[in-house]
Amino acid sequence: MKRAPVLIEKHGNVTLLRLASENPLNPLTDELVDALGDALGRIDADDAVHATVITGSEKAFAAGADIVAMSALDYAEAFRRDYVGRNWDRIRAHRKPLIAAVQGYALGGGCELAMMCDIVIAADDATFGQPEVKLGIVPGAGGTQRLPRAAGKSLAMQMCLSGASISAQQALACGLASRVVARERLVAEALDMAGSIARHSLPVLMAIKEAVGRSFESSLSDGLLFERRLFQAGFALRDQKEGMAAFLQKRTPEFLNK
Ligand code: CAA
């Protein structure tokens, strides 16, 4: 029997998604990206899940889009099928916190998938790169757009123009990753972080994700206005009353996610 390309584990109100292609380098085939989009769609619809960790194999988070499939692609088909748009946009549209736990290679679409997540935690052996230039193509799932925002223009240019990878420590130093941990601890640390996020009110988590996401899409004054309106709207939530009452009563809040 063919195994599922994405394995799903529940850890309380956190879901762990493991990219698990037959090839441990996890080429991002349409089948894998479709399965990931389906899983994230179900998580968005499930009020019991507050946060998700995406991880790969010991060898690779993902070594990029499927070079076998792309080698035969022509422009008309790529455009007609909206290649690397159609199914990848479902990851971008996911509304709850996403943590990428990256071990081994995160190359091309793999690096881009990590950058679509909200937080990147890297194992000490992780490498990040946009090697598309070596294949005679431009990065296609955000490498030229998200990498300069995450890592700054000079390093993003260096990575995209040379195709050379950076280490986990370099990813940490430039802000592409927020933590580097020992590889044996990667998934446990990512689940711990997801758990510490997931204990909070779900609508507040979703609003924060939306507001931080907006900061990359708008002017400062538009972003500040968007944030202020979300902040003011937050006073309509029962969880605002609960969070503040719990603080004043020196107890742990019991959020209702309402
Ligand atoms: N797609 C399809 N197959 C891939 C692949 C990919 N992205 N990456 C590796 N493979 C295949 C190899 O062809 C090889 O297949 P066979 O066993 O049938 O020969 C198998 O996986 C093992 O690969 P290697 O022998 O190369 O393994 P390695 O350990 O020596 O090297 C690696 C590992 C450095 C990751 C190397 O495989 C590599 O450079 N892969 C390609 C990385 C890449 O260029 N990614 C960008 C893809 S384009 C893209 O992602 C576009 C976009 O922006 C969306």
Side-chain angles (χ1 to χ4, degrees):
M1 206 174 81
K2 206 163 175 261
R3 79 172 198 218
V6 177
L7 306 178
I8 303 171
E9 288 173 28
K10 298 271 181 182
H11 295 259
N13 54 4
V14 171
T15 299
L16 173 65
L17 300 178
R18 284 184 194 271
L19 311 185
S21 290
E22 303 278 343
N23 180 342
L25 289 175
N26 281 325
L28 295 165
T29 59
D30 266 349
E31 187 198 9
L32 191 154
V33 179
D34 283 344
L36 183 58
D38 288 346
L40 290 174
R42 285 195 298 274
I43 289 168
D44 253 341
D46 182 350
D47 288 341
V49 184
H50 286 203
T52 297
V53 174
I54 302 179
T55 197
S57 72
E58 285 182 4
K59 215 170 168 196
F61 182 67
D66 180 9
I67 299 171
V68 177
M70 283 188 293
S71 65
L73 209 56
D74 63 25
Y75 168 70
E77 195 188 349
F79 179 67
R80 201 173 53 241
R81 286 175 42 205
D82 193 18
Y83 184 67
V84 170
R86 178 189 65 81
N87 43 7
W88 291 65
D89 280 347
R90 294 168 70 194
I91 302 160
R92 178 186 179 201
H94 186 68
R95 298 181 65 205
K96 297 179 185 175
L98 279 180
I99 298 177
V102 177
Q103 181 164 8
Y105 299 108
L107 299 179
C111 185
E112 292 166 319
L113 173 60
M115 290 190 291
M116 282 179 204
C117 296
D118 305 306
I119 298 170
V120 178
I121 304 182
D124 46 18
D125 69 348
T127 56
F128 297 82
Q130 297 291 160
E132 288 88 344
V133 68
K134 297 186 200 168
L135 299 170
I137 55 171
V138 169
T144 67
Q145 302 302 303
R146 289 197 181 92
L147 196 55
R149 287 166 166 84
K153 175 183 165 189
S154 181
L155 185 56
M157 283 285 194
Q158 177 189 311
M159 290 169 69
C160 293
L161 293 173
S162 72
S165 297
I166 61 168
S167 66
Q169 285 301 337
Q170 286 172 293
L172 179 68
C174 74
L176 177 54
S178 64
R179 280 189 71 189
V180 176
V181 299
R183 80 202 71 156
E184 319 75 66
R185 294 281 312 147
L186 177 69
V187 172
E189 297 280 348
L191 286 172
D192 267 7
M193 186 186 286
S196 72
I197 290 169
R199 73 168 69 106
H200 299 121
S201 167
L202 182 58
V204 176
L205 291 173
M206 293 171 68
I208 290 171
K209 171 164 174 157
E210 202 166 279
V212 175
R214 182 60 74 100
S215 75
F216 292 99
E217 310 279 350
S218 62
S219 68
L220 179 60
S221 37
D222 284 348
L224 288 170
L225 181 61
F226 184 77
E227 180 196 71
R228 195 174 319 126
R229 291 291 174 257
L230 281 180
F231 171 73
Q232 290 162 347
F235 293 95
L237 289 176
R238 285 163 67 182
D239 283 343
Q240 174 266 324
K241 300 287 176 290
E242 168 59 13
M244 293 189 182
F247 175 82
L248 295 173
Q249 293 160 16
K250 304 190 190 309
R251 62 174 174 81
T252 306
E254 286 179 30
F255 291 124
L256 296 167
N257 305 307
K258 288 180 179 166

